[in-house]
Amino acid sequence: MQLPEQELVIVLDFGGQYSHLIARRIRELKVFCEMLPFSTPIEEIKKRNPRGIVFSGGPSSVYQENAPVCDPAFYEMGVPVLGICYGMQLMAQQLGGQVSQANHREYGKTELTVLDSGGLFSCLEPVEQCWMSHGDLVESPPPGFTVTARTVKAPVAAMARPEKNLYAVQFHPEVVHTPKGQDILKAFLYDICGCSGLWTMGSFLERTIAEIREQVGGKKVLCALSGGVDSSV
């Protein structure tokens, strides 16, 4: 039996406290999502044929020694990339922008001024509320990028280069304190990545069972669990 291709979005984890929440929000929008370490080789990512990639936030500073980085070749894959917080700063630095320590850390509910209401922000009003949590900022975007939003303390609160399918936000759309954050993620998944939103846990189970049956055939299977409720779940 030929199984239909499953739409997949990958979250690259840079150690952020909200990384799992990003993956959860994507699944809530009915798109299958996997979270992988930032160090996952790009060839492994290509094998999975993702519709989109999200760079998570993280506690590091991109200009520090041994800061977590990914292969710059991700930006040339043609697959849409969304950088969030640290993910935005990493994208900016790797592509020639300027990232530095902020004079005043931006934390909590913040007023966001939208400068470009297209693409990722087509669902936003000119002024929205967002949730910030960062001590560094992007002072200037990389060549070819447009600044799409700002705040009083962050001159580049969001940036984009649509022709390269590269988007980034300094704030956290995955938390409830960004009221239209889920709408932003939906715009990325549906409008930019081209996902159709057909995934559910039920469809995941059906697909997994079909894959196991195809692989096993008429043989018997032994399933071993380490024990306890967590493993069973």
Side-chain angles (χ1 to χ4, degrees):
M1 179 181 66
Q2 182 66 38
L3 296 172
E5 181 183 359
Q6 179 170 258
E7 296 174 348
L8 167 67
V9 169
I10 290 175
V11 174
L12 285 188
D13 180 21
F14 289 89
Q17 60 177 321
Y18 300 135
S19 298
H20 284 280
L21 184 56
I22 296 171
R24 175 182 170 182
R25 296 300 187 215
I26 292 173
R27 295 184 190 118
E28 287 175 350
L29 289 166
K30 298 185 178 180
V31 176
F32 184 56
C33 176
E34 290 183 359
M35 191 168 72
L36 299 174
F38 70 89
S39 56
T40 304
I42 191 169
E43 293 306 320
E44 177 63 29
I45 301 293
K46 288 180 178 178
K47 289 178 183 177
R48 296 171 185 257
N49 194 28
R51 290 292 186 93
I53 299 172
V54 178
F55 292 175
S56 81
S60 303
S61 294
V62 295
Y63 47 77
Q64 291 179 336
E65 187 177 359
N66 298 321
V69 298
C70 64
D71 191 332
F74 276 106
Y75 307 119
E76 301 299 328
M77 283 179 60
V79 175
V81 177
L82 172 62
I84 297 176
C85 197
Y86 179 87
M88 169 172 162
Q89 295 163 11
L90 178 64
M91 182 186 295
Q93 187 199 54
Q94 288 186 314
L95 295 176
Q98 180 65 39
V99 181
S100 63
Q101 185 176 14
N103 293 327
H104 302 283
R105 183 184 180 191
E106 200 169 25
Y107 182 81
K109 295 179 181 179
T110 306
E111 186 176 277
L112 181 77
T113 300
V114 178
L115 304 176
D116 186 341
S117 59
L120 201 64
F121 293 161
S122 59
C123 55
L124 302 187
E125 298 296 327
V127 177
E128 294 283 358
Q129 176 186 301
C130 70
W131 182 264
M132 288 287 196
S133 178
H134 64 99
D136 297 328
L137 57 78
V138 177
E139 288 191 7
S140 58
F145 276 75
T146 299
V147 178
T148 54
R150 60 175 171 79
T151 68
V152 172
K153 296 180 180 178
V156 186
M159 62 183 192
R161 191 174 180 185
E163 70 274 15
K164 288 284 189 177
N165 275 327
L166 301 178
Y167 301 83
V169 296
Q170 183 61 68
F171 58 90
H172 290 273
E174 70 275 18
V175 302
V176 295
H177 304 298
T178 301
K180 292 188 179 177
Q182 196 72 336
D183 295 326
I184 294 172
L185 291 176
K186 184 177 181 180
F188 177 71
L189 296 173
Y190 289 26
D191 301 338
I192 296 172
C193 298
C195 295
S196 53
L198 299 177
W199 182 86
T200 63
M201 182 55 71
S203 66
F204 172 75
L205 291 174
E206 291 176 1
R207 180 185 180 88
T208 302
I209 291 170
E211 288 176 343
I212 293 173
R213 283 176 172 162
E214 184 178 25
Q215 183 177 355
V216 173
K219 301 176 183 177
K220 293 184 178 180
V221 175
L222 174 65
C223 177
L225 299 176
S226 60
V229 174
D230 291 341
S231 296
S232 299
V233 171

